[in-house]
Amino acid sequence: MRIYRYFTAILVASSLQANAATESVAAQGFLASYAGQAYAQYSKALLTAEQLQLALVAFTDSPSPETHQAAKDAWNEARSAYLPTEAFRFADGPIDREGGPEGLINSWPLDEAAIDYVLGDSKAGIINNPDKFPLITAEKLAEWNQLDGETSVTAGYHAIEFLLWGQDNDPNGPGRRSYLDFFPGRDTSAERRAQYLIAAADLLVVNLQEVAEQWNPANPQAYVHEFLDPNSAQSTMLRIVNALAVFTGVELSGERLFTAYEIQHQEEEQSCFSDTTMNDFKYDFLGVMNLLNDSPYGNGLLTLLRSASKDKATALESVALRAGAAIQILTQWGPFDQAILNPQARPMILDALTQLELLSEVLKDSQKILESAD
């Protein structure tokens, strides 16, 4: 009997070790997919930022309606490439861990008067104050960013967006800044405005290079090697699932949708100057779905979760599809700043934020399932 119990204990221990090994391998597969996508997506964001940089140089060298529109188009391309990377936030990774550059890349809301003229104050901002701000460089923009408060944003996508489109005072469309704002001799601040655009683009490229390089597996000093350490695979995986819950619930559902839905103010949308906030929702959620599904780099979260609980994986997939459908319907309602005021569109906003909140809750439950399976 003692021998039987002894071998039974060995078999149970072996089974537990095998399950733990299987779970560790599954977690590592998920993290490999995550890391591969991070490097690919940040690299794409960097490439499109470099293309934006070239378009802004062409525009400021020769301001015209054509070069102005080309610069706007390049901003839209760059922005669309960056948005899926937001799914990598809140995970203590290179983008927003202590000292990370997220605040220099994507900070909002933005106080336009910190940068340039606004309605009622033609001399506002850094651009129109050469005595206080004699040099406009990438380094200076980084130094000044949010120096006087959270909204005193001087760098990133939205600073460039404001300089290209201007303040959005039109309830029926985006900002209407003229290319003449950059035309030498037509505006006393034209040269400084051009300097600001180029400096902001230079800083954006530098910061995206920094993040992309941290996910580069060929760099032996890169964060990706710490991230893929098999000894911490389980805890890293749980941190990632929690980050997705925070992003879909607190950030997308709360900050991005509910706040605007409740306040109903034109500038509560994130990309308010260009009126492209609907693209923000579309591509942000694409980034989430990329991590839920399998990729060429490895298994997605759904596959990982399925190994622990098929029922929970089915629930997660179902609510994710519902959230995606709600966002798809919402994006058909035109500019977001009009949708928040439209009695017909408001229920669609409420549905989208509700589905995202539900997705966040299921992700939290999934984290508990994966943690208990450890």
Side-chain angles (χ1 to χ4, degrees), residues 44-365:
K44 182 177 180 181
L46 172 59
L47 175 63
T48 55
E50 290 170 339
Q51 292 168 342
L52 170 61
Q53 190 179 33
L54 293 175
L56 293 176
V57 169
F59 169 49
T60 54
D61 281 351
S62 182
S64 71
E66 292 75 22
T67 56
H68 191 191
Q69 185 59 52
K72 291 179 179 179
D73 292 343
W75 183 90
N76 279 319
E77 288 293 324
R79 181 72 179 154
S80 296
Y82 176 76
L83 287 165
T85 72
E86 289 211 88
F88 301 116
R89 291 185 59 193
F90 306 109
D92 195 30
I95 184 64
D96 55 5
R97 68 191 330 185
E98 186 175 355
E102 200 279 336
L104 290 168
I105 293 173
N106 194 43
S107 284
W108 78 288
L110 180 151
D111 177 10
E112 305 97 315
I115 296 175
D116 199 4
Y117 72 85
V118 293
L119 187 66
D121 189 351
S122 62
K123 297 299 181 182
I126 291 167
I127 287 170
N128 298 294
N129 195 343
D131 292 335
K132 185 176 180 181
F133 306 99
L135 294 176
I136 300 177
T137 64
E139 293 74 18
K140 286 294 184 181
L141 295 189
E143 178 186 325
W144 297 330
N145 192 57
Q146 297 181 309
L147 189 62
D148 295 324
E150 187 179 33
T151 64
S152 64
V153 176
T154 59
Y157 285 102
H158 297 300
I160 296 172
E161 179 193 12
F162 168 57
L163 285 172
L164 288 174
W165 274 271
Q167 194 176 23
D168 184 11
N169 297 311
D170 184 352
N172 299 309
R176 298 185 178 279
R177 186 188 291 275
S178 169
Y179 75 95
L180 293 174
D181 276 4
F182 296 85
F183 204 88
R186 296 294 297 269
D187 188 296
T188 56
S189 294
E191 184 177 351
R192 286 174 58 81
R193 199 166 285 121
Q195 290 171 355
Y196 198 117
L197 253 187
I198 300 306
D202 291 347
L203 182 59
L204 181 64
V205 166
V206 166
N207 285 316
L208 288 172
Q209 283 175 332
E210 175 188 327
V211 181
E213 191 57 27
Q214 288 301 312
W215 289 105
N216 181 1
N219 178 358
Q221 304 302 319
Y223 164 81
V224 67
H225 302 294
E226 170 192 334
F227 179 82
L228 292 175
D229 182 352
N231 295 318
S232 57
Q234 190 73 3
S235 60
T236 302
M237 175 268 293
L238 293 173
R239 189 173 74 242
I240 297 303
V241 178
N242 180 69
L244 284 171
V246 172
F247 180 61
T248 53
V250 177
E251 186 68 19
L252 285 183
S253 180
E255 293 290 333
R256 309 279 180 92
L257 280 164
F258 181 74
T259 301
Y261 174 84
E262 186 176 51
I263 296 176
Q264 301 183 62
H265 191 279
Q266 186 174 21
E267 292 196 4
E268 282 301 325
E269 60 169 340
Q270 188 178 24
S271 297
C272 63
F273 311 116
S274 59
D275 267 352
T276 58
T277 302
M278 290 299 195
N279 272 348
D280 291 11
F281 300 137
K282 175 182 174 181
Y283 288 107
D284 273 338
F285 194 74
L286 174 62
V288 174
M289 291 304 295
N290 286 344
L291 296 179
L292 295 186
N293 293 317
D294 294 350
S295 80
Y297 309 100
N299 294 333
L301 179 57
L302 286 170
T303 296
L304 172 63
L305 183 59
R306 202 168 283 120
S307 67
S309 170
K310 291 182 180 179
D311 289 343
K312 185 56 65 176
T314 299
L316 177 58
E317 184 174 30
S318 177
V319 73
L321 290 173
R322 290 200 303 272
I327 290 173
Q328 179 63 30
I329 292 170
L330 173 60
T331 58
Q332 307 305 310
W333 284 90
F336 187 59
D337 61 352
Q338 295 179 32
I340 58 177
L341 302 175
N342 187 328
Q344 292 180 300
R346 284 180 61 77
M348 308 306 152
I349 300 173
L350 185 60
D351 184 43
L353 70 88
T354 300
Q355 296 302 329
L356 284 167
E357 185 61 37
L358 288 172
L359 176 57
S360 177
E361 292 303 316
V362 176
L363 282 164
K364 291 175 186 175
D365 289 343

